[in-house]
Amino acid sequence: MKKQLMSIILKIMSSIDDKLGENSTVLDLSNITSICDYFVIASASSSRQVKAIVDAIEDKLSKEGLTLTHKEGYESGRWVLLDYGDIVIHIFHEEDREFYNLDGIWKDANEVNIDIV
């Protein structure tokens, strides 16, 4: 299961990278909460770029047959949450990421090193 999730996370990170997302982080929450196993967090410099990253992720994961269970914040493009069950993705406008500081709130989570080739 974990190997399958890592494959999905690589696709997410690739989509973020393709749309020039910044400060991408993957947090392993599996040992500290039952909300989900992983958070993927990334930033963008504009609302338009936030939406472009979200669209790319949704497109790539739908082609993999994955079902989005919840989506929030797309209209404003400031903080978009995509819930895929075991993986929750947060794409922030860079100012909002600093303000909400999810990385700090979940500081007990292990950061997963992902290399995108």
Side-chain angles (χ1 to χ4, degrees):
M1 177 68 158
K2 208 161 190 132
K3 187 175 181 179
Q4 184 181 16
L5 290 177
M6 282 299 123
S7 174
I8 295 166
I9 288 171
L10 281 170
K11 289 173 178 41
I12 294 165
M13 297 297 280
S14 174
S15 296
I16 292 168
D17 191 54
D18 289 349
K19 296 298 179 182
L20 306 177
E22 301 170 355
N23 300 321
S24 300
T25 302
V26 178
L27 300 178
D28 182 347
L29 304 174
S30 62
N31 293 322
I32 59 175
T33 186
S34 61
I35 295 172
C36 65
D37 288 338
Y38 296 96
F39 271 180
V40 176
I41 306 169
S43 306
S45 59
S46 70
S47 296
R48 182 179 293 186
Q49 186 183 17
V50 168
K51 290 180 177 183
I53 292 168
V54 168
D55 291 344
I57 292 168
E58 285 186 278
D59 184 51
K60 190 171 279 189
L61 295 186
S62 70
K63 289 177 181 173
E64 295 294 319
L66 297 172
T67 303
L68 178 65
T69 60
H70 185 73
K71 178 178 176 179
E72 195 168 317
Y74 186 83
E75 285 71 29
S76 72
R78 301 291 298 186
W79 173 5
V80 180
L81 178 144
L82 300 172
D83 184 347
Y84 283 93
D86 291 331
I87 302 169
V88 175
I89 305 159
H90 302 270
I91 308 298
F92 284 96
H93 188 285
E94 57 196 6
E95 294 167 2
D96 291 357
R97 181 170 181 180
E98 287 179 35
F99 180 79
Y100 289 106
N101 191 23
L102 284 188
D103 305 79
I105 292 170
W106 292 98
K107 67 181 184 287
D108 293 337
N110 292 323
E111 189 170 337
V112 179
N113 186 15
I114 302 289
D115 291 325
I116 300 173
V117 181

